[in-house]
Structure formats: structure tokens, C-alpha cells
Amino acid sequence: MVSASDAKFVAQSFRENLPVQSLAQQDRKLCFELLECLLQHYPNEVASLGEDLFYAISEAIDGEKDPHCLILTFHIVEILVQIYPEPSGPLASFCGDLFEFLGCYFPIHFTHLKDEDADVRREDLSKALMSAFSSTALFEPFVIPLLLEKLSSSLPLAKVDSLKYLNYCASRYGAERMAKHAETIWVSLKHEISNSLKVPAKSFPGEPLLGLGFEEDEIVTEALILLQKVTMQNDALFLRMIVQDADINNVFNSIATHESYTSIPSLGRQSLHAVGRIFCMVAGTSMASCSRIFERFFPSLMKTLEISLGISSKDCTLKENSLSSRRFNIGALYLCMELIAACRDLIMRTNEHAEKSGTADETCCYMLQSSAPTLITAFCTTLAKSSNNVVDDAEIYFKVKGLQMLVTFPGYFLQIPKPMFENVLKTLMSIILVNFDNPMLWKLALKALVHIGSFVDMHLESEEAQSYTSFVVEKTISLVSQDDFIVPFPLKLEAVSEIGTSSQNHMLKIVQGLEDAIVANLSKTYVHGDSKSAEKTIQLLECYYNKIISWINETGGLEEVLYRFVIRIWNCIERCKESSSQVQDKGLLDATMMATKLAVGSCSEESQNIIIQKAYRALSSGLSIPFKDSMDGNSLVKLENLHLSEQLDMFSPRDELILSLFASVIIGMRPKSHIANAKGILHLFMTALVKGCAPAAQALGSMINKLGTPSNEIAISTSCTLEEAMEIIFRSKLWNISENGVLRESGTGHGSKVGLTELCLGISISELLQIHAITGIAWIGKGLLLIGHERVKDVTKIILDCLMADERVGASVRRTAADAFHILMSDCDVCLNRTFHAKIRPLYKQRFFSTVMPILHSLIVKSDSPLSRPMLFRASAHLISNAPLIVILSEAKKLMKVLLDGLSILSEDILDNDKLYSLLLVLSGILTDKCGEEAVLENAHIIIDCLTRLINYPHMMLVRETAIQCLLAMSGLPRPRIFPLKTQVLQAIFKALDDPKRSVRQEAVRCRHAWTSIA
């Protein structure tokens, strides 16, 4: 432990013997750390040095440039001023000299990073300097003028930092010290807010986030925040300057000269936007500020809008006819809405108990109470007539926004009569029902209804909440059940889903209505055979899983809703077995499956167990093909006396529906959920996948993946371990193949016994069976691959054997085997992902790629078969395009030839355009990464040969565009390597200049310029 006297001696020695700035960086850093330690732990002893301490610190930090040392020096200054807190103490006489060293570092300019400075960011330095600036109010005479001077800089970074520092320092220097700078601050802020806006298009943007739709950069944002801070600090002073400001009053007085948005000049719109944003920020600081701004400007705005204060709601009704054909002055309307928005936000932010104590007596409250009835009536009336009149988008926007705000004030501040509130709801709902041909108005009305719904939900027992339920929620629900064609059905669904998001209570009612509509239309389709209902049902289901389930998952707490939905779907499916109708619609089946999967996946294990039992009963009673019982006798239902399907032909529509939905339940289940008769289900899925049922194959892969979770509980609950499942899949001989090639259930006749593996390898005369078997084995392999199970090697071997089989294997079978690698490596949206609780081991793609790619490469080198070789390249393309780029870059030299050959092969078939584009993106990644440069240089000529051919690829614009971008990237390679190829590239690019797509032509121009400049 260092004694106090020793610490003082060290400090004296530091002053006398250490020429800090003449030392190396590391030594300087040690000196600053020593000084920081002395100031923090021995302040009294160090303070006794008096003036010597200030001289020592000033000399030590003068001219310092190293980022690590600067962080310490700024902190040293911050500690130093805390040792001398007295305003008239020793620090007062040295403040100017001390700040002279600090001020030269503002603003922090730190762009050229050395490797050793990588752990110091510009933000860290700026924050440390800001803390030093604000560490004592004695710095105020030096800091504020400096910051205001830098605010006039042409550098945006200096402006932003000045505004941030002013904001930070203002709160620490106090209102009294900041008051003497108030006028300069106001003039500077007004200038920055007015002149840093980015001018939008001449037409109104439709739905501006702020004001009149001008884009506000960081300078404007920080300026408005600072304005709010200093106004709260010195409200009387800043309010007086604002309301008396000549520029503000000039803009305010000029608004009457322009009726519409389009008639206002660009600079006029910019000034109007700035004034509105200033009003909004200042009025939102306090009730006193709000009342002052209202008192000065609101009556004039109402006069310009030709609305009298003090008028009653009865009088408003009498003037409804005179209002219907009148247009509002857009400038006055905009400023009026900004003031009302600021007042409402202030009220909603304030503490409830503080609000009620006196806000009702404020000037702004009185003025709003006087004008609100007229405004609401005028807006409702004119909006109802807007479809027949030519009205500015801006005027429509502010009317709808005005209605939304006026009816969502707390009742103690602004009480809207019930008939008037209901009239607002009716007006907005009439827009939803009638004005759907005006997209902007329709969307604005819908959003306003959502906001109103969220507000009234806070007061469920209020009259407003009951009115909202009657006029909005129930009316919206009725839209989906009506068969009228007035409102387009997609818009009905958008309205339903958006209104539901206003609150959980409204969503419960909306979901009930959607469920009723879905079940009713499913029954029409599957029970009554009405195929016309299929398209409507698909849209209903897509709305349910895209909007409703997503919202429920985000908000939580409504799991029972999803559980009920799945049960109702299965109740409907159970009724299908009693119907003779056989409707088959793949789009409807896919939508029903996706909704079922997502709903099941969002349920708890307990709910899933009940759903699985329900689905199993429907499966066992409704399926016309048999499956084996569990060997342990624990299955829920003994499947007996079922008629055997002699030949494995296609499913009936009813069988496909039941089995696919059951597969969806299995895909969405959690790993610990209980699967009844797991072994029988495995047999069933294997039979179904041979029949071509893709959901069965995906469900089988999901079962395998979740059985692979290391937990004894799971093995017991499913009555089937992963090892047993593997034996069933790879060893069981489920079928007999007769001499004429007919495949039958095992035990039903004579012939060779075969399993899934034998079917993949072609022990059948049916290519279709082989294709189905390979696809199924690929999904099983994916389930194993995700958990890193060693049996994925067996799956890979089977697929590779199919690729390398002799000429007796057809081209379609080989293509399926090659595409199996896409199933194995790609991310899947319909199964085996985290949404559906799949177990995914980290880096599984990297491991599989590193294992299989060398094998494929070796087979490519050895193969001379015109049948197998293209498919080997196709398989390699799937591996490469789905592997992480970092893995590809590490092996770029080895993979380049395979990648380019893959591009050539995939470009020959129009059906492969998506795969071609994916592989081309990998090449683009190699070309634009420094790690791939060596491989690119070695193969530059064949890369350019490949890319120049792809420039003319007719089937996909993105391929042509990306190929040109790749050529542009290659123009940056060393000149000696690419100059000989310049002519070839320019000739190819010349043709692309006439491409029918504009984006391709633009890329071609850029590419031609880059290659032409290579001299």
C-alpha cells in the first residue's frame, strides 16, 4: 500500500522529471495511467501541489495524438476538476489554459486506424471528450462558443457532434449559465432545422413519418432534440424568442396564400415543414409551453381554416352541408395537426396523477375542447365526399390523422360525445368498405382504426370500447363471411388482420371469425365437394399463418387459440371420411399444411400431445391403407380388418389429405411430445413416401431428427429409439417385388423382398418408385445430418451409388439423386428448421461439405460417363451454392473448375435458372473477397469465358445482371492478368447494352467504363 506522503512524492517527481511528450507511445500511456491513479486514489495529496499540478497536466497532454493516451488524458481532466469543485478555487484561473488543450481535439477526427488502435473507436474518444467538456460549469465560457462556432461548419460530422455536445453540456451547466447563449443557440438551431432537410418529390409522399414528408438527417434530429432540451430548461426565454421570431411569423403569415400542397413552392414547403416540427417539439415539452404555443398560433390557424372556436357540437351539425364541398388550407391544416399531435403526445406521456391535477384548466385544453367538435364534423363530412372531389393527398392524410388524434385524447382532457365518436368510426369504416380504389386513403383509414382500437382497449368498459367493438370489430369480422364481391377479398383479409392487431381482446374476436370462415370453407371444399371455395380458403389460411400466427407468437399468451384452431381443422377432416366428394387441390393442401404446422409448432408439449392423439385417431379411422401397430401394444388404436392396397399406386385425395395433415403435426411437434405407435407411423410414412407423398418424407426426416435428441425421456415417450428407427428404415423389407415389377406390401405374395435402400438402388422396373425412394432417403438424411449422426454416411453412399449407377438407371433418377444434395444442404422453410423445433448442430454444413466435396471431386476426375459426369457437377453445384462462403473461400483454388463447369451445365436447362443464379452468387462472393483473389487470377480466362456466355442467358434477368457485376469486379485485378482479355469482355458487354432490362443496361455501362479505362 502506497502511503500518502509517498504518493505526493511520486506526483512531485512526475512534475519535475517526466517529459511525457518526448516518450514513446507505450511509455506515455504508462505515465497517464500513473497520473490517473494518483488523482483517483490520492486526491488530497495531489491537490496540495497547487499550480504545479496544473502545469504538469497541461505539459503532459499538450499535443497528444495517440487514441489510447487521449482516452486517458480526457479522463484525467474530468477527475482533475472534481478535486477543485469551488467556483473561485485554483481551477478557475487555469480553466482557459486547460481548455485550450482540450478544445483542439473537437471534433474528433479519427479515420485512419492502425491495427493496434482497433480496440479504440471514434465514439469512445468522442464520449470521453464530451465528459471532459461537461465536467465543470467553469468550462462553459469556452465550450459553448466553440460548439456554436463548429455548428456553422460545412462538415456534417462537426455539426452533429456540436449538437450532441451542446445537449449534454446544457443539462450539466444549468439554466442560468445557458441563458446568456439562448439567442445564439436559437438562431443556430433554426438555421440547421430549416436548411438540413432533403427535399422530397413534388407530390405528397402519401404517408410521411414526420411533418410534410421531408427526410430529416441526423443534423435535424439532433437539433430538434437540443431545442426540446433548452426549451424545457428555459421555457419562458425560448418561447418568447420563438413566438416573436420574424422568420417563423413570416412563414406563419404566408400559409393563407397557398391552398393546396402542390401550389406551395419547394422552399416554401421546406420552411413550413421546419416551422411545424419546431412547434411540435416545443409544444411537447410541458403544459405551459403547449398552452403558450396554442395561445399564440392556434386561433389564427382556426381562422384560416374557417373554423370558429367556442362552437358547440350541435352547431357543427347544422353546418355539415356547408362543409361538405369545401377544401382546407393545407398549411394551416398541417400546423394545426402538428400542434394537436404534440399536445396529445404530451398528455399521454405525463403521469396520470399529475395530469388530472390541472391540465383541464390549461389554455390548450380549452381551445381543443372548443374546436374539436367542428374539426371532427368537418373532417368526417369532407372525407365522406372525397371520392367525388379532386383532393390533395396531403389534405386527405391530415384529415384522417386529425380524426385519429382527436378521438384518442384521454376523456378528462378532451371528452368526445358518443355520437360523434361513432360517427368517426362509421366514416373510417365506410372508407374501408367503399373507397378501396383509393389505396392511400384506404390504408390511412385502416391504420387510424388500428390506433383507435389500441387506445380504447385501455378502457374496456367504456362506451367507446363498446362502440368500437360494434362498429369496427364485428363489422370487419362479417366481411370474411360475406360472399359479396364489392370489396376485394385480399383487402378484406388485410383489414381483418390489421384490426386484430389493435389489441388482444380484438384479436380473440377476429381469430374466432377467421376460424369460422376457414372451417366453413374447408367443409364446402372437402365435405361438400365445392371446388370453387378452394381459392378463398387458401387466402384465408395464408392470412391466418402469415399474419395471425406471427402476431400471436410475437405477443404471446394466446396459445389456446392455436390449439383450438388445429383441433377444429381435424374435426373438419374427420367429417371428410363420411363424404363421397373427392376434391384435390394442391394449393389448398399446402396452405392447410403450413397453417397446421405453424399452429402446432407454437403450442406447448401438453397441447401437442392432445393434438397428436386427435390426429392419430383421425388417421387410423379415416385412412384406407393399413399400417402396423406398435409392437409393445401401447398404441392408441388397434388397426385391424383393414383392406390391403395390393399395388402401391397413388393415394386417393382423401388419403393424401389425412396423411399430409398428420405429417404436418409430426413436423411441427416438439422433441419431447409423445408420438403414439411410433414404429407403426414409421412404416406408414415409408410406404407413403414410396407413393410420392413428400410431406410423409419430410415428417419422417423430422421424426428421425427429434428422436436423435439425447434424452431417455424421449425414447420412452415415443416407444422407439433412434437406433430402432434406423433399423426399420435401412434393414426392414417392407415390400415384395414380383416378377412383373409390381410392388406389394410384404407378406402379400411371392417375389423378392425389398426395403427403401433397394428401391433407391433400382431394384424395380419403375423409375417413379426409385425417384420417390431417393427423395425420401434424402429427407431422412437431412434429419440425421442436422444432428450430426454417423448414419448420414449411409444415406450419402446410397445417393452417390445412384449417381454412379450404370446406363440402366434413367436420367430422371440421376437428376433426383443429384438434387438430393440440395435437400441435404439447403435451408428449408417447410420442415426441419428451428421454427418447427428441429435439433440443429452448429457447423453441420461445413462438416458435410468438407466430407462429401472431396469424394465428388474424385468421382468427377475419374468419371468419363456422359450420363454420370453432368449429374456429379450438378450435385457439386448444390453443395457449393449452399455452403457458407467462408468455407468456399478456403478451398477456392480446388473448387473453381468444378464451380465453373457447374455454371455451364446448369445454364443449359431453363428449369435450373434459380440454381444457376445461386451458384453465380457464390462466384460473385469469391470475386469480391480478397481471400479468393489467387484462385481468380489462376483461372481468369475461363472465368471470363463463362461470364461472357452468361451475359446472354435469356431466362433470368438476375443472372445477366450478376454476370456483368462479376466482370466489373474482375476489372480490378492486376492489369497484366486481365489486359489480354479486355477485347473479349468489351465485345460481350457491347451486346448487353441493348438488353431489354434497364438494370442490366446500367450495369453494362458501368462495366464497359471500367474495362475501357484499363490501358
Side-chain angles (χ1 to χ4, degrees):
M1 182 69 181
V2 179
S3 65
S5 58
D6 289 342
K8 182 176 181 180
F9 178 76
V10 171
Q12 289 175 331
S13 179
F14 185 100
R15 166 73 179 97
E16 297 169 1
N17 302 315
L18 276 178
V20 177
Q21 284 304 309
S22 64
L23 302 176
Q25 183 269 344
Q26 203 58 35
D27 294 330
R28 297 200 310 276
K29 184 180 178 186
L30 289 172
C31 291
F32 290 129
E33 288 173 346
L34 172 62
L35 187 55
E36 182 184 41
C37 177
L38 290 170
L39 291 168
Q40 282 182 323
H41 299 287
Y42 302 95
N44 295 329
E45 289 72 21
V46 175
S48 65
L49 296 179
E51 293 183 358
D52 286 346
L53 176 62
F54 292 105
Y55 289 129
I57 292 176
S58 298
E59 291 176 5
I61 67 177
D62 187 19
E64 183 58 60
K65 295 180 180 179
D66 179 73
H68 293 90
C69 294
L70 283 174
I71 291 277
L72 292 168
T73 60
F74 297 156
H75 190 223
I76 285 169
V77 172
E78 188 178 356
I79 302 170
L80 177 65
V81 300
Q82 294 172 6
I83 297 176
Y84 302 99
E86 299 83 4
S88 58
L91 179 63
S93 57
F94 283 91
C95 265
D97 295 333
L98 195 57
F99 186 76
E100 185 178 343
F101 298 114
L102 282 178
C104 65
Y105 294 107
F106 181 85
I108 295 290
H109 187 66
F110 185 47
T111 56
H112 301 291
L113 270 177
K114 302 176 183 177
D115 291 340
E116 60 267 23
D117 298 333
D119 57 335
V120 179
R121 301 174 303 162
R122 181 193 175 277
E123 291 76 10
D124 300 327
L125 283 167
S126 186
K127 186 176 180 180
L129 182 61
M130 187 192 299
S131 297
F133 273 23
S134 62
S135 57
T136 174
L138 295 175
F139 281 156
E140 168 264 317
F142 313 102
V143 170
I144 303 302
L146 173 67
L147 296 178
L148 290 172
E149 178 189 349
K150 295 296 183 181
L151 188 55
S152 62
S153 167
S154 59
L155 296 174
L157 180 67
K159 290 179 180 287
V160 172
D161 276 2
S162 296
L163 292 165
K164 288 181 177 180
Y165 277 50
L166 281 167
N167 192 352
Y168 194 78
C169 292
S171 58
R172 283 154 180 78
Y173 293 165
E176 185 178 348
R177 284 183 173 271
M178 293 301 297
K180 54 189 172 184
H181 304 285
E183 186 174 355
T184 310
I185 291 174
W186 161 241
V187 172
S188 299
L189 291 179
K190 180 181 64 172
H191 178 270
E192 296 305 327
I193 295 170
S194 301
N195 294 283
S196 298
L197 298 168
K198 295 182 181 179
V199 181
K202 186 175 181 180
S203 60
F204 190 71
E207 191 179 336
L209 296 176
L210 296 168
L212 285 173
F214 283 77
E215 186 178 345
E216 297 181 357
D217 61 12
E218 193 175 6
I219 296 173
V220 179
T221 302
E222 292 296 335
L224 289 169
I225 292 172
L226 176 58
L227 177 61
Q228 192 173 46
K229 169 65 71 66
V230 294
T231 303
M232 292 176 68
Q233 198 173 50
N234 284 294
D235 56 348
L237 180 58
F238 273 91
L239 285 168
R240 184 175 70 253
M241 288 189 294
I242 291 169
V243 299
Q244 294 177 358
D245 186 88
D247 294 332
I248 295 237
N249 282 285
N250 286 338
V251 172
F252 187 80
N253 294 331
S254 68
I255 59 177
T257 60
H258 302 287
E259 282 292 324
S260 65
Y261 178 84
T262 54
S263 67
I264 306 175
S266 178
L267 288 178
R269 289 201 296 269
Q270 187 173 342
S271 300
L272 184 61
H273 173 98
V275 170
R277 298 293 291 134
I278 289 170
F279 282 0
C280 185
M281 295 303 288
V282 171
T285 56
S286 67
M287 287 305 303
S289 300
C290 189
S291 292
R292 182 75 179 92
I293 296 294
F294 262 77
E295 185 178 16
R296 169 64 184 83
F297 296 106
F298 197 72
S300 298
L301 292 173
M302 292 295 100
K303 183 178 180 181
T304 304
L305 293 173
E306 301 179 22
I307 293 177
S308 302
L309 292 174
I311 195 167
S312 68
S313 58
K314 180 179 179 181
D315 295 330
C316 296
T317 305
L318 295 175
K319 291 193 174 186
E320 183 172 328
N321 293 330
S322 64
L323 292 168
S324 62
S325 59
R326 187 167 60 79
R327 296 182 62 177
F328 290 90
N329 178 281
I330 192 61
L333 184 61
Y334 160 63
L335 293 179
C336 176
M337 292 306 104
E338 287 290 281
L339 290 180
I340 293 174
C343 182
R344 183 189 178 279
D345 290 344
L346 177 64
I347 292 296
M348 300 303 288
R349 282 198 317 267
T350 317
N351 180 273
E352 185 175 344
H353 297 292
E355 290 176 316
K356 295 183 179 180
S357 60
T359 53
D361 299 326
E362 294 287 347
T363 302
C364 56
C365 177
Y366 165 74
M367 290 185 173
L368 276 179
Q369 289 173 344
S370 302
S371 59
T374 312
L375 285 171
I376 291 174
T377 302
F379 292 165
C380 286
T381 304
T382 54
L383 279 173
K385 305 291 183 179
S386 62
S387 59
N388 299 323
N389 301 323
V390 179
V391 183
D392 272 350
D393 287 345
E395 183 176 340
I396 291 175
Y397 172 81
F398 290 117
K399 286 177 185 176
V400 176
K401 183 180 178 182
L403 287 178
Q404 173 193 316
M405 290 186 298
L406 288 168
V407 299
T408 54
F409 272 92
Y412 65 85
F413 187 87
L414 179 61
Q415 184 65 52
I416 303 298
K418 181 181 178 182
M420 189 166 289
F421 178 80
E422 291 179 349
N423 188 38
V424 171
L425 298 183
K426 290 177 184 177
T427 299
L428 295 175
M429 280 303 297
S430 71
I431 294 172
I432 299 298
L433 299 174
V434 177
N435 296 102
F436 47 83
D437 54 345
N438 185 337
M440 192 198 84
L441 175 59
W442 194 88
K443 289 184 178 296
L444 287 173
L446 182 58
K447 288 196 172 186
L449 286 169
V450 172
H451 282 291
I452 295 170
S454 299
F455 175 78
V456 300
D457 185 64
M458 294 185 290
H459 311 282
L460 287 177
E461 302 303 321
S462 66
E463 290 184 340
E464 289 84 357
Q466 296 171 11
S467 297
Y468 188 87
T469 301
S470 301
F471 287 94
V472 179
V473 178
E474 293 178 0
K475 184 67 175 177
T476 306
I477 292 172
S478 68
L479 288 177
V480 296
S481 59
Q482 294 173 356
D483 290 330
D484 65 84
F485 298 100
I486 300 175
V487 182
F489 197 67
L491 291 183
K492 289 182 179 182
L493 294 177
E494 184 178 350
V496 166
S497 59
E498 290 296 321
I499 295 296
T501 61
S502 61
S503 79
Q504 195 173 94
N505 294 296
H506 300 149
M507 182 59 82
L508 285 171
K509 294 181 175 67
I510 292 291
V511 169
Q512 180 67 52
L514 263 181
E515 284 182 13
D516 291 342
I518 289 171
V519 172
N521 282 279
L522 277 177
S523 297
K524 287 181 182 179
T525 304
Y526 287 127
V527 178
H528 304 295
D530 181 6
S531 58
K532 295 180 181 179
S533 300
E535 181 58 35
K536 183 178 180 181
T537 314
I538 292 171
Q539 294 182 58
L540 284 165
L541 287 165
E542 288 175 346
C543 173
Y544 194 91
Y545 64 73
N546 285 327
K547 301 288 186 67
I548 306 301
I549 295 181
S550 298
W551 186 87
I552 289 174
N553 287 335
E554 288 174 7
T555 56
L558 291 178
E559 180 209 327
E560 70 281 357
V561 171
L562 300 179
Y563 162 75
R564 182 189 65 202
F565 170 72
V566 179
I567 294 298
R568 292 189 68 183
I569 292 292
W570 278 106
N571 288 337
C572 178
I573 298 305
E574 285 182 321
R575 292 197 296 273
C576 292
K577 65 184 180 181
E578 303 168 0
S579 171
S580 59
S581 302
Q582 296 279 319
V583 174
Q584 191 169 14
D585 189 299
K586 188 178 185 305
L588 178 57
L589 179 59
D590 289 343
T592 309
M593 287 170 55
M594 182 56 75
T596 302
K597 278 185 282 193
L598 289 169
V600 170
S602 301
C603 292
S604 64
E605 291 168 17
E606 293 77 14
S607 298
Q608 284 187 355
N609 287 333
I610 300 172
I611 290 170
I612 293 171
Q613 292 176 20
K614 175 76 172 177
Y616 186 87
R617 286 194 293 268
L619 179 77
S620 61
S621 61
L623 207 60
S624 62
I625 61 172
F627 61 96
K628 298 181 180 180
D629 275 339
S630 172
M631 296 179 182
D632 58 11
N634 290 329
S635 60
L636 295 175
V637 179
K638 291 289 183 180
L639 302 177
E640 298 175 351
N641 303 320
L642 288 173
H643 298 290
L644 183 63
S645 176
E646 287 291 326
Q647 184 174 348
L648 290 174
D649 53 3
M650 296 300 292
F651 284 114
S652 69
R654 187 183 296 110
D655 283 347
E656 184 180 11
L657 170 64
I658 295 173
L659 188 55
S660 296
L661 285 186
F662 184 79
S664 300
V665 172
I666 298 300
I667 289 170
M669 75 175 189
R670 299 176 186 272
K672 293 185 179 181
S673 296
H674 177 84
I675 304 177
N677 186 14
K679 294 178 183 177
I681 297 300
L682 282 172
H683 284 106
L684 176 64
F685 283 157
M686 289 174 68
T687 297
L689 72 86
V690 172
K691 282 174 171 273
C693 181
Q698 294 162 359
L700 192 54
S702 297
M703 277 186 71
I704 295 302
N705 176 268
K706 292 162 189 176
L707 284 172
T709 306
S711 170
N712 291 331
E713 179 184 354
I714 296 169
I716 294 170
S717 69
T718 60
S719 305
C720 181
T721 63
L722 178 60
E723 288 70 24
E724 290 172 334
M726 290 295 95
E727 286 298 311
I728 292 173
I729 291 169
F730 290 105
R731 299 293 176 86
S732 297
K733 309 296 183 182
L734 299 185
W735 305 283
N736 283 332
I737 183 167
S738 61
E739 295 179 357
N740 62 1
V742 175
L743 197 65
R744 305 174 187 278
E745 186 79 13
S746 180
T748 64
H750 300 289
S752 302
K753 291 186 176 182
V754 295
L756 198 56
T757 303
E758 288 80 8
L759 290 179
C760 289
L761 297 175
I763 313 300
S764 170
I765 64 171
S766 171
E767 282 193 4
L768 190 59
L769 286 175
Q770 196 173 355
I771 289 171
H772 293 162
I774 293 170
T775 303
I777 208 75
W779 284 110
I780 293 167
K782 187 174 183 67
L784 294 169
L785 175 61
L786 293 181
I787 58 175
H789 197 278
E790 61 181 9
R791 292 299 290 269
V792 74
K793 296 177 182 177
D794 297 335
V795 172
T796 306
K797 184 179 183 305
I798 293 170
I799 296 171
L800 289 174
D801 287 344
C802 295
L803 278 175
M804 299 303 296
D806 57 32
E807 64 277 0
R808 289 179 296 175
V809 174
S812 58
V813 174
R814 295 177 194 274
R815 179 185 287 262
T816 303
D819 291 344
F821 286 100
H822 177 72
I823 293 175
L824 288 164
M825 282 288 286
S826 64
D827 297 321
C828 184
D829 294 330
V830 297
C831 67
L832 287 170
N833 54 47
R834 297 193 188 280
T835 301
F836 300 127
H837 313 292
K839 296 298 178 181
I840 302 177
R841 186 180 177 187
L843 305 178
Y844 78 93
K845 287 187 178 183
Q846 288 90 322
R847 280 190 293 272
F848 187 70
F849 179 87
S850 300
T851 302
V852 178
M853 195 64 217
I855 299 173
L856 281 174
H857 190 268
S858 174
L859 292 174
I860 289 171
V861 172
K862 295 176 184 178
S863 175
D864 56 1
S865 168
L867 298 175
S868 295
R869 188 175 173 82
M871 292 301 112
L872 288 170
F873 279 114
R874 185 183 182 86
S876 301
H878 286 309
L879 280 176
I880 293 171
S881 60
N882 287 289
L885 183 60
I886 190 172
V887 180
I888 303 299
L889 290 171
S890 64
E891 300 288 336
K893 292 177 68 175
K894 297 179 183 179
L895 296 173
M896 186 59 73
K897 182 68 167 62
V898 176
L899 191 156
L900 295 172
D901 286 340
L903 286 172
S904 297
I905 290 169
L906 291 173
S907 65
E908 295 172 359
D909 192 338
I910 185 175
L911 298 177
D912 291 330
N913 53 15
D914 287 332
K915 299 180 180 67
L916 174 66
Y917 178 59
S918 297
L919 194 59
L920 186 58
L921 288 177
V922 177
L923 177 59
S924 175
I926 296 173
L927 292 173
T928 55
D929 196 290
K930 193 71 176 175
C931 297
E933 184 173 334
E934 185 178 353
V936 173
L937 287 173
E938 287 185 9
N939 299 276
H941 66 289
I942 59 174
I943 293 175
I944 285 181
D945 286 343
C946 179
L947 292 174
T948 51
R949 288 194 302 271
L950 292 177
I951 288 176
N952 300 314
Y953 185 73
H955 308 303
M956 194 177 195
M957 179 270 291
L958 288 174
V959 170
R960 302 194 300 276
E961 182 181 16
T962 307
I964 297 173
Q965 290 169 346
C966 289
L967 287 172
L968 177 62
M970 292 192 72
S971 68
L973 295 174
R975 179 187 178 280
R977 192 71 186 90
I978 61 171
F979 184 77
L981 305 167
K982 176 180 175 180
T983 303
Q984 178 186 355
V985 172
L986 289 177
Q987 288 175 350
I989 290 296
F990 182 77
K991 297 177 182 178
L993 293 172
D994 294 325
D995 194 277
K997 296 296 183 179
R998 184 168 179 263
S999 60
V1000 177
R1001 297 195 300 271
Q1002 288 177 331
E1003 291 297 330
V1005 171
R1006 292 177 58 209
C1007 186
R1008 182 181 64 171
H1009 176 74
W1011 279 87
T1012 304
S1013 63
I1014 300 173

